Amino acid sequence: MPTLKERSAAVMPPMALHDLPFGIDHAQGSWLYTDDGRKLLDFGSGIAVNNLGHNYPSVVEAAKAQLDKMTHCCHNLFHYEAETALAERLVGLMGGGYKVYFSNSGAEAVEGAVKLAKYATGRPAVIAFKGSFHGRTLLCTSLTASNAGYRKHYEGLVPSIYFAEYPKLFGSPYPSEDGACPKAYFTQFDDIFKRLVDPYSVAAILMEPVQGEGGYVVPPREWVQYVREICDKYGIMLIFDEVQTGFGRTGNMFAWQTHGVKPDIMSCAKGIANGLPLSAVVGRSEIMDRWVAGAHGGTFGGNPVSCAAALATIDALEGGAIENGAKMGQYFMEGLKKIQGKNPVIGDLRGLGLMIGMELVQPDGAPDRALTAKVCACALDHGLYLLSCGCDKNVVRFIAPLTVSGEEIDTALEILDVAFAETMKKK
């Protein structure tokens, strides 16, 4: 009998296949259960989707109840309680003064946010950042600059997109005074506006408040605040891509709260419904009110089952999950620092809440992609599922569910300690 992997290879393209020899049979809480009988501690959370862990009871119950009531009627045709109630909830989380449009995926939300900025301002250009990842549609691919492989064979891409440097301070080529963010990250905008694009032609500056695929890079707060000032000066829309950072991942409901900087427009997805497909464009009311009928739309956005699950997800996040995630993130970071003390190959540890990156380097400071892959593989052999990221694929990213327990954190630390010991012994 063919394996699940073999059956998948027969009917799916190579870009949809995986190297792992097993599939997942079911999942619960922080754990994955494979089709070959293994139990894995999941610190990938479906790439920051299952922020409440797998099959969170109240979310499952809410989805089941909505399934019995209505699965779809199309938000382009009708209003219904689950969607409107969720929009009201999100506006409340923003402190009022915003409106919401729902779609299905993170890429759709980013694309919608950029379309909104262009439509509302009448301007053509967008500034994004090197190291960014915004999705796989043609526009989002054009806005992404973390891996040339994502863009290969899709040129020519969407025009009038310009890339600035994102302040990754570890390994930065720019000098720093007293540990402060180098001035080059601030003054680069003057150069962009002088040499590349007039600031009054720029519709939006699009940024991840913590870079995800680019390496879990946390920008200095003062730099984020400066970008806000630049946008205010020239009437540019500040868009935060909170697809990965949102819904408790960084220790607050949204990362903009951590930075103390409110965006004009925000895209969110992933953790919004703890595993059901849903995303949202959230924009200031005066901007959203310029988005007239027919300017944007979609059939499946705001699915009532997903909206019901999202309402239950937010209840659970506000009911203690975010607080637990922040507490466990601090506890986990303390344990990781002890492992770093024994392993100089760990060049940097960084993160907010339970969005933590561990960058591995060679003795000369160069990225060590091979070691990163070996550490993740060894951890998997011992029952801990991890993902890597970074432009050089040399960052181990830890995305535990916000509901993770101290005991599960301890298990992960024990496995990681063994993984480094075994990997370094073979090196």
Side-chain angles (χ1 to χ4, degrees):
M1 179 181 294
T3 66
L4 182 61
K5 181 178 180 180
E6 291 168 338
R7 289 166 53 206
S8 298
V11 293
M12 298 179 186
M15 46 71 63
L17 302 178
H18 315 288
D19 291 331
L20 296 174
F22 54 80
I24 302 302
D25 180 76
H26 64 283
Q28 186 65 47
S30 301
W31 299 89
L32 297 168
Y33 297 85
T34 70
D35 57 6
D36 62 358
R38 301 180 65 189
K39 179 182 178 182
L40 302 175
L41 182 56
D42 181 14
F43 272 31
S45 295
I47 315 182
V49 168
N50 300 111
N51 286 358
L52 297 174
H54 297 281
N55 286 20
Y56 195 80
S58 63
V59 176
V60 173
E61 290 170 8
K64 286 181 176 178
Q66 182 60 51
L67 275 169
D68 288 335
K69 191 173 183 180
M70 179 176 66
T71 59
H72 175 77
C73 66
C74 189
H75 70 165
N76 272 6
L77 303 176
F78 305 100
H79 294 298
Y80 43 91
E81 178 62 27
E83 183 187 43
T84 300
L86 180 58
E88 290 170 339
R89 195 71 176 273
L90 291 175
V91 170
L93 292 174
M94 299 298 292
Y98 285 75
K99 292 186 177 181
V100 182
Y101 178 79
F102 292 107
S103 47
N104 303 283
S105 68
E108 281 186 80
V110 172
E111 186 135 350
V114 173
K115 285 179 68 177
L116 171 61
K118 284 173 170 277
Y119 198 92
T121 63
R123 300 178 182 184
V126 177
I127 295 174
F129 292 90
K130 295 178 182 179
S132 63
F133 181 85
H134 295 294
R136 303 285 194 160
T137 62
L138 193 62
L139 174 57
C140 292
T141 296
S142 304
L143 293 161
T144 291
S146 55
N147 187 329
Y150 298 151
R151 300 163 65 92
K152 186 177 180 180
H153 298 317
Y154 297 119
E155 294 91 350
L157 296 168
V158 177
S160 301
I161 293 173
Y162 304 87
F163 290 99
E165 297 283 349
Y166 196 90
K168 180 179 181 293
L169 302 190
F170 179 76
S172 173
Y174 303 116
S176 174
E177 297 179 5
D178 301 322
C181 183
K183 293 181 180 179
Y185 292 110
F186 297 87
T187 60
Q188 64 175 324
F189 294 101
D190 298 329
D191 189 64
I192 289 171
F193 295 148
K194 179 180 179 180
R195 300 176 186 272
L196 297 177
V197 61
D198 185 272
Y200 294 103
S201 293
V202 178
I205 295 179
L206 168 66
M207 63 179 288
E208 299 162 275
V210 178
Q211 276 197 338
E213 185 73 17
Y216 276 32
V217 180
V218 183
R221 182 179 174 132
E222 65 271 20
W223 179 81
V224 180
Q225 293 172 339
Y226 180 77
V227 175
R228 173 75 272 177
E229 293 171 8
I230 288 287
C231 290
D232 291 341
K233 181 177 180 179
Y234 295 110
I236 298 168
M237 301 290 102
L238 178 59
I239 302 175
F240 276 0
D241 178 348
E242 291 246 22
V243 168
Q244 188 160 173
T245 55
F247 298 96
R249 178 52 53 191
T250 64
N252 285 300
M253 185 65 77
F254 299 109
W256 67 258
Q257 296 167 302
T258 304
H259 291 305
V261 175
K262 231 175 184 181
D264 299 302
I265 306 168
M266 180 178 74
S267 57
C268 52
K270 286 191 181 288
I272 187 172
N274 205 56
L276 276 76
L278 184 67
S279 65
V281 179
V282 183
R284 292 187 185 277
S285 296
E286 61 270 23
I287 301 168
M288 286 289 231
D289 286 341
R290 300 176 208 170
W291 222 6
V292 298
H296 192 57
T299 300
F300 285 103
N303 175 270
V305 179
S306 295
C307 288
L311 286 164
T313 296
I314 294 171
D315 283 342
L317 290 170
E318 292 186 320
I322 292 178
E323 182 180 359
N324 184 74
K327 180 181 177 182
M328 289 296 103
Q330 183 177 2
Y331 179 67
F332 192 26
M333 184 67 84
E334 291 171 357
L336 291 172
K337 287 179 180 177
K338 293 178 182 178
I339 293 175
Q340 183 184 31
K342 297 184 287 184
N343 295 278
V345 295
I346 302 175
D348 192 33
L349 277 172
R350 52 183 179 259
L352 296 172
L354 278 170
M355 187 174 182
I356 299 172
M358 171 190 281
E359 184 160 353
L360 305 187
V361 296
Q362 300 175 32
D364 63 356
D368 201 330
R369 177 174 184 165
L371 178 62
T372 304
K374 290 176 182 177
V375 169
C376 289
C378 189
L380 182 61
D381 289 340
H382 289 280
L384 173 63
Y385 181 69
L386 299 172
L387 296 168
S388 63
C389 64
C391 297
D392 295 293
K393 300 299 180 188
N394 70 314
V395 178
V396 181
R397 52 174 157 175
F398 301 98
I399 332 173
L402 308 184
T403 51
V404 69
S405 68
E407 292 78 10
E408 289 167 337
I409 293 286
D410 289 340
T411 297
L413 289 168
E414 290 169 7
I415 292 174
L416 198 61
D417 201 17
V418 171
F420 270 100
E422 292 186 1
T423 304
M424 296 308 297
K425 186 177 180 180
K426 296 176 183 178
K427 192 173 181 182

